[in-house]
């Protein structure tokens, strides 16, 4: 097993090589960078990617659909990002005038193209097509912003309505506005009209091989010429331990950490029930969950609080709410193990962050997680919706210090080799250069 010093030197070498591979002709370019409801609690990766793009000569002009609830804007950089971001909603009176000017000046050809886009959305109901029409003013605002801010391409981190807005904007733009996509989840998550969203895009990034195969199978003849499979990643310099990982030694509590938005898809119910099982077996265990629901605490969080009360786990499970990246790192430093119990996780930046911190991970094998975690080598995979399996995996790590250390060391090495946040930035820059 490599020493920590050797791993650090290898990481520095890889990071340096990544910079050397940066596209040479990308300097002094500016692109729009559209993220729905930015900055949200799970948006650390987007902020890092925008910084990486800047490092290789692509300035990102931040744009979002609307502001998220204040309760989930927890990142240390959130205030800075909010000040830099232009929001499409709501429209002020002066912006309505600008929008009307864009639409009217676009001319009959653009109007016909917009109409055709709506009519050609064959998988949409009449209500959904009406919604598509109602997105045209925001597409017009996007065109106006591209002219005011001097960019002609926008990268969209969503394949839902944000992609529809970008698609409609291309028809209203006189300056050949183009867009690209990053797909973070299975297509079914993002609603209808995928054929057109992808067909009009210039290029795309897909975060896992599994999702890529789904895209190719579903859309076949509607794909852009360039698609690259490129995972999200972590900032290896930031997510690095300053103290060596210490496995559970039987004193005090066995500390379990989890991180992600509070949503039923994250499987927190099964994780919490696994803690109850471990308590019944006599293990002194404590679980902390970092994250908040989309309603700022008024939604799924309340269901979890009731479950914690029903299982009498108030002293064993803590819901931390939306916290900063630094608080997540502190939670990982203290943890003996990280768990993500998602029903189907596309990949999992939170898991990558834990792995980068040398923390052994227990994650469910739904979705594309197996492209990140190799079962028994750098983590433990368990079936989704299975509290017993989670409890057994946690018990195994709590009783085997050597296993915990080896899993954590191998996890860090896996992330260093394949999951730097700079990879996706380089992919976007390279495909944009070739477009």
């Amino acid at each position: 097993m490599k020493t920590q010093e050797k791993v650090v030197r290898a990481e520095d070498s890889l990071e340096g090589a990544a910079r050397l591979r940066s596209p040479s002709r990308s300097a002094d370019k500016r692109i729009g960078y559209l993220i729905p409801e930015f900055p949200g609690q799970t948006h650390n990766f987007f902020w890092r990617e925008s910084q990486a793009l800047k490092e290789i000569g692509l300035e990102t002009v931040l744009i979002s659909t609307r502001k998220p609830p204040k309760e989930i804007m927890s990142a240390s950089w959130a205030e800075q990002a909010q000040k830099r971001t232009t929001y499409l909603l709501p429209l002020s009176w002066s912006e309505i005038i600008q929008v009307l000017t864009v639409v009217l000046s676009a001319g009959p050809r653009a109007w016909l193209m917009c109409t055709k886009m709506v009519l050609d959305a064959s998988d949409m109901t009449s209500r959904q097509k009406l919604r598509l029409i109602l997105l045209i003013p925001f597409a017009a605002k996007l065109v106006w912003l591209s002219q005011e801010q001097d960019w002609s391409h926008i990268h969209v981190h969503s394949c839902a309505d944000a992609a529809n807005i970008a698609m409609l904007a291309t028809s209203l733009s006189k300056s050949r506005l183009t867009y690209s996509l990053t797909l973070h989840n299975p297509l079914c998550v993002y609603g209808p009209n995928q054929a057109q969203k992808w067909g009009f895009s210039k290029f795309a990034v897909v975060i896992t091989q599994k999702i890529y195969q789904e895209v190719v199978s579903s859309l076949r003849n509607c794909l852009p010429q360039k698609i690259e499979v490129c995972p999200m990643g972590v900032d290896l310099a930031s997510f690095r331990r300053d103290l060596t990982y210490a496995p559970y030694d039987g004193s005090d509590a066995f500390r379990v950490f989890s991180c992600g938005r509070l949503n039923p898809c994250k499987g927190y119910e099964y994780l919490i029930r696994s803690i109850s099982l471990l308590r019944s077996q006599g293990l002194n265990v404590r679980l902390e969950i970092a994250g908040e629901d989309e309603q700022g605490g008024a939604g799924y969080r309340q269901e979890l609080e009731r479950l914690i009360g029903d299982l009498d786990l108030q002293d064993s499970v803590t819901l931390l709410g939306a916290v900063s990246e630094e608080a997540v790192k502190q939670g990982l430093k203290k943890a003996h193990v990280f768990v993500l119990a998602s029903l189907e996780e596309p990949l999992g930046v939170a898991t990558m962050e834990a792995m980068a911190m040398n923390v052994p991970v227990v994650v469910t094998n739904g979705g594309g997680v197996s492209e990140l975690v190799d079962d028994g080598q750098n983590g433990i995979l368990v079936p989704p919706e299975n509290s017993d399996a989670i409890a057994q995996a946690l018990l195994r790590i709590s009783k085997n210090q050597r296993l915990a250390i080896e899993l954590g060391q191998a996890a860090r090495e896996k992330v260093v080799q394949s999951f730097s946040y700079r990879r996706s930035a380089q992919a976007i820059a390279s495909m944009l250069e070739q477009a």
Side-chain angles (χ1 to χ4, degrees):
M1 195 65 65
K2 293 182 179 178
T3 66
Q4 185 172 357
E5 181 181 359
K6 289 180 180 178
V7 172
V8 169
R9 283 202 296 267
E11 293 163 12
D12 292 341
S13 176
L14 286 168
E15 292 286 282
R19 291 188 184 94
L20 290 174
R21 290 194 298 270
S22 301
S24 60
R25 291 188 291 144
S26 295
D28 302 321
K29 286 187 177 180
R30 174 181 292 184
I31 63 170
Y33 194 75
L34 176 56
I35 311 161
E37 298 193 27
F38 181 77
Q41 61 180 325
T42 60
H43 289 175
N44 286 327
F45 167 74
F46 303 139
W47 182 250
R48 290 194 293 264
E49 185 183 75
S50 70
Q51 299 299 105
L53 285 166
K54 184 177 181 180
E55 290 176 11
I56 57 179
L58 273 176
E59 179 186 354
T60 54
V61 180
L62 299 175
I63 301 163
S64 186
T65 49
R66 70 179 77 200
K67 294 179 182 179
K70 291 182 180 179
E71 292 82 0
I72 65 173
M73 288 194 285
S74 57
S76 58
W77 46 265
E79 183 176 354
Q80 179 186 357
Q82 188 176 344
K83 289 178 180 178
R84 283 183 49 195
T85 302
T86 302
Y87 294 93
L88 299 180
L89 283 81
L91 292 173
S92 67
W93 285 109
S94 62
E95 288 173 339
I96 290 174
I97 294 172
Q98 294 288 353
V99 162
L100 289 173
T101 301
V102 169
V103 173
L104 293 174
S105 63
R109 184 176 180 180
W111 305 338
L112 287 172
M113 186 175 294
C114 272
T115 302
K116 188 174 187 303
M117 285 177 172
V118 173
L119 294 176
D120 285 351
S122 58
D123 59 342
M124 299 182 82
T125 65
S126 298
R127 183 183 293 272
Q128 289 170 328
K129 289 185 178 183
L130 175 61
R131 179 180 176 83
L132 192 58
I133 293 171
L134 295 176
L135 294 179
I136 290 175
F138 307 108
K141 181 174 179 179
L142 198 61
V143 172
W144 171 58
L145 290 173
S146 72
Q147 296 166 351
E148 290 291 307
Q149 299 169 342
D150 191 27
W151 47 266
S152 59
H153 182 86
I154 186 163
H155 188 73
V156 186
H157 269 291
S158 172
C159 292
D161 275 343
N164 279 325
I165 291 171
M167 179 193 74
L168 291 165
T170 62
S171 68
L172 296 173
S173 172
K174 291 184 175 180
S175 56
R176 298 181 180 179
L177 180 64
T178 59
Y179 71 95
S180 51
L181 304 168
T182 291
L183 179 61
H184 293 277
N185 290 282
L187 281 173
C188 61
V189 173
Y190 297 103
N193 204 32
Q194 293 300 326
Q196 288 201 102
K197 293 171 188 174
W198 287 73
F200 283 101
S201 67
K202 203 71 175 177
F203 61 86
V205 177
V206 180
I207 69 165
T208 68
Q209 189 66 36
K210 180 176 181 179
I211 295 177
Y212 171 74
Q213 294 297 337
E214 177 201 355
V215 168
V216 171
S217 175
S218 300
L219 300 180
R220 294 187 183 277
N221 301 321
C222 306
L223 297 173
Q225 290 186 346
K226 298 180 185 298
I227 302 178
E228 186 158 338
V229 178
C230 191
M232 298 179 290
V234 298
D235 183 349
L236 295 166
S238 177
F239 281 86
R240 170 184 285 168
R241 301 190 77 91
D242 48 12
L243 295 174
T244 303
Y245 167 79
Y248 182 57
D249 62 5
S251 64
D252 197 22
F254 180 58
R255 295 185 295 274
V256 181
F257 188 75
S258 189
C259 181
R261 60 195 172 93
L262 299 189
N263 186 287
C265 71
K266 294 297 182 179
Y268 288 120
E269 171 191 346
Y270 303 97
L271 173 56
I272 291 170
R273 291 186 184 280
S274 76
I275 300 301
S276 180
L277 291 172
L278 291 172
R279 295 281 292 179
S280 69
Q281 296 177 48
L283 182 65
N284 181 13
V285 58
R286 298 286 188 275
L287 167 64
E288 289 187 338
I289 300 174
E292 191 56 271
D293 59 39
E294 288 85 346
Q295 293 76 38
Y300 185 58
R301 179 192 182 100
Q302 296 180 1
E303 293 184 33
L304 293 180
E305 288 174 340
R306 283 193 290 272
L307 177 62
I308 292 168
D310 291 343
L311 296 175
D312 196 23
L313 293 176
Q314 294 92 332
D315 295 332
S316 301
V317 179
T318 303
L319 302 180
L320 300 174
V323 299
S324 67
E325 185 178 85
E326 185 57 37
V328 170
K329 286 191 286 187
Q330 291 303 317
L332 290 170
K333 286 179 182 179
K334 295 186 301 179
H336 294 116
V337 64
F338 173 86
V339 182
L340 194 63
S342 299
L343 308 188
E344 185 173 4
E345 187 73 22
L347 194 60
V349 170
T351 302
M352 291 178 204
E353 292 173 346
M355 294 171 73
M357 295 285 287
N358 293 99
V359 180
V361 299
V362 173
V363 292
T364 47
N365 59 8
V369 175
S370 60
E371 296 180 34
L372 170 63
V373 177
D374 305 294
D375 187 29
Q377 298 179 39
N378 47 48
I380 297 177
L381 296 176
V382 296
E385 303 181 64
N386 193 324
S387 298
D388 286 335
I390 296 172
Q392 290 171 18
L394 292 176
L395 194 61
R396 181 182 171 195
I397 289 175
S398 73
K399 292 183 175 181
N400 191 329
Q401 294 188 6
R402 181 176 179 180
L403 174 66
I405 292 171
E406 290 181 348
L407 287 176
Q409 289 176 341
R412 171 79 186 184
E413 292 179 19
K414 176 67 177 283
V415 173
V416 167
Q417 290 295 326
S418 303
F419 294 95
S420 167
Y421 73 102
R422 288 190 171 93
R423 283 188 59 188
S424 58
Q426 291 158 4
I428 291 170
S430 178
M431 287 190 285
L432 183 60
E433 184 179 27
Q434 298 169 31

